[in-house]
């Protein structure tokens, strides 16, 4: 079905992210309490059978949570291999599909393609919401797979490669390439480890393979967002300064402001990023990227991993 539809669609935005986990009730409460999402529906998902699914919304951002009801559920099968995390990323496409299409992506990640006429989500806007939209989603892959994954997203999803990074400390390193669509409403950095003790390798070990490392939520006022999140019990990685600021040399009035949560699950895998693009600053801020890498490295050392 994908081959016949591939020429007809082009992803035009993120539609939703779908977490597979053991307890929908607990995590519904967590997202409502900590990130100010609101549960809007509980449904039977015909494409994720034998599972309990809840849908939560915050402005234009939709998150789906599914827990298995039976061992035959794809959710149970995912959790038999991986810890809880994002198992599916949904995209709105520029055509009307008769029904949602789910396709296998990299590792055990899947993508759901949703016709634009079925997209009932609000558009990006400055509202009273804490977050405005999904800024980017980061995929970690094993060593040697980054370029193959890049090729897959180019050929199958119509994305293009843009920024490239190589981040290194005295202890470890990673490589990254950013995939995006034409207007950058979709941005998906792909990371691979450059050393055996890299934080990316640690993620892959704990996650038992490739997977989504973090989800970046855009805000128009990061100071207010961070204050409210901390009051709600969200814990952040320790960086200096607390909110990282990367000013663009060619546009001094533009800057990226970023902060990163601690991993939200028991294993050190998935976390959230909060990002503000002051005056529509582009890119990812290599200086901030370096600071994030170093902060996660310090967390590795505190867990007495192979970096110690």
């Amino acid at each position: 079905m994908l081959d016949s539809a591939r020429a007809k669609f082009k992803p035009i935005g993120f539609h939703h992210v779908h977490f597979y986990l053991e307890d929908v009730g607990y995590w519904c409460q967590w997202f409502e309490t900590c990130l100010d999402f609101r549960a809007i529906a509980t449904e039977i998902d015909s494409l994720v059978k034998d599972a309990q699914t809840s849908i939560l919304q915050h402005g234009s951002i939709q998150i789906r949570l599914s827990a298995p009801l039976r061992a035959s559920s794809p959710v149970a099968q995912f959790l038999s291999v991986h810890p809880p995390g994002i198992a599916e990323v949904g995209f709105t496409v520029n055509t009307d599909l008769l029904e949602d299409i789910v396709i296998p992506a990299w590792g055990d990640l899947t993508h759901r393609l949703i016709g634009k006429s079925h997209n009932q989500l609000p558009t990006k806007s400055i509202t009273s919401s804490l977050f405005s939209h999904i800024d980017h989603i980061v995929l970690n892959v094993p060593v040697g797979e980054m370029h193959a994954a890049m090729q897959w997203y180019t050929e199958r999803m119509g994305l293009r490669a843009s920024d490239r990074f190589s981040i290194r400390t005295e202890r470890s390193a990673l490589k990254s390439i950013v995939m995006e669509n034409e207007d950058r409403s979709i941005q998906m950095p792909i990371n691979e480890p450059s050393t055996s003790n890299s934080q990316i390798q640690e993620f892959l070990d704990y996650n038992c393979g490739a997977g989504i490392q973090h989800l970046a939520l855009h805000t128009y006022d990061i100071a207010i967002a961070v204050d409210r999140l901390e009051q709600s019990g969200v814990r952040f990685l320790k960086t200096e300064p607390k909110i990282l600021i990367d000013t663009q040399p060619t546009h001094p009035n533009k800057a990226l402001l970023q902060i990163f949560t601690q991993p939200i699950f028991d294993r050190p895998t998935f976390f959230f990023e909060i990002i503000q693009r002051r005056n529509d600053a582009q890119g990812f801020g290599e200086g901030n990227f370096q600071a994030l890498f170093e902060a996660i490295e310090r967390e590795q050392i505190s867990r007495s991993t192979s970096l110690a």
Side-chain angles (χ1 to χ4, degrees), residues 83 140-143 172-174 192-210 213 237 263 266-271 293 295-308:
N140 285 355
V141 302
V143 63
S172 64
L174 67 78
E192 75 170 19
S194 298
T195 58
S196 61
N197 59 356
S198 168
Q199 65 177 252
I200 306 304
Q201 186 59 53
E202 183 189 50
F203 170 93
L204 296 167
D205 291 342
Y206 277 109
N207 195 61
C208 300
Q213 179 207 43
L237 284 177
D266 291 339
R267 298 188 194 181
T269 51
F270 177 82
F271 59 91
F293 188 81
I296 296 179
E297 189 173 86
R298 289 192 293 271
E299 293 291 317
Q300 283 181 285
I301 294 171
S302 71
R303 289 192 293 270
S304 300
T305 67
S306 58
L307 284 181

Side-chain angles (χ1 to χ4, degrees), residues 150 153-154 159-164 177-181:
M150 175 194 73
Y153 278 94
T154 300
L159 303 183
R160 64 188 183 192
S162 59
D163 297 340
R164 290 171 169 80
I177 189 165
V178 180
M179 306 303 298
E180 63 184 21
N181 63 344

Side-chain angles (χ1 to χ4, degrees), residues 42-54:
T42 299
E43 65 173 29
I44 300 298
D45 189 332
S46 62
L47 298 179
V48 185
K49 296 181 178 179
D50 299 323
Q52 174 189 2
T53 299
S54 289

Side-chain angles (χ1 to χ4, degrees), residues 30 33-35 226-236:
W30 187 90
T33 301
C34 294
L35 298 186
V226 169
D227 182 62
R228 286 179 57 183
L229 293 174
E230 287 185 322
Q231 290 181 34
S232 299
V234 175
R235 296 182 300 120
F236 292 96

Side-chain angles (χ1 to χ4, degrees), residues 135 222 243-248 254-258 275-278 280-286 288:
D135 187 88
I222 196 168
I243 296 175
L244 301 172
I245 303 174
D246 192 283
T247 303
Q248 301 189 343
K254 297 186 177 185
L256 295 177
L257 295 85
Q258 295 161 282
I275 182 170
Q276 178 182 346
R277 294 184 179 272
R278 183 180 291 166
D280 294 321
Q282 297 301 310
F284 290 88
E286 191 163 359
N288 288 357

Side-chain angles (χ1 to χ4, degrees), residues 18 45-46 53 62 65 130 134-135 205 210 217 242 267-268:
H18 197 157
D45 189 332
S46 62
T53 299
Q62 185 180 114
L65 309 176
L130 201 59
I134 294 174
D135 187 88
D205 291 342
L217 303 175
K242 178 178 177 180
R267 298 188 194 181

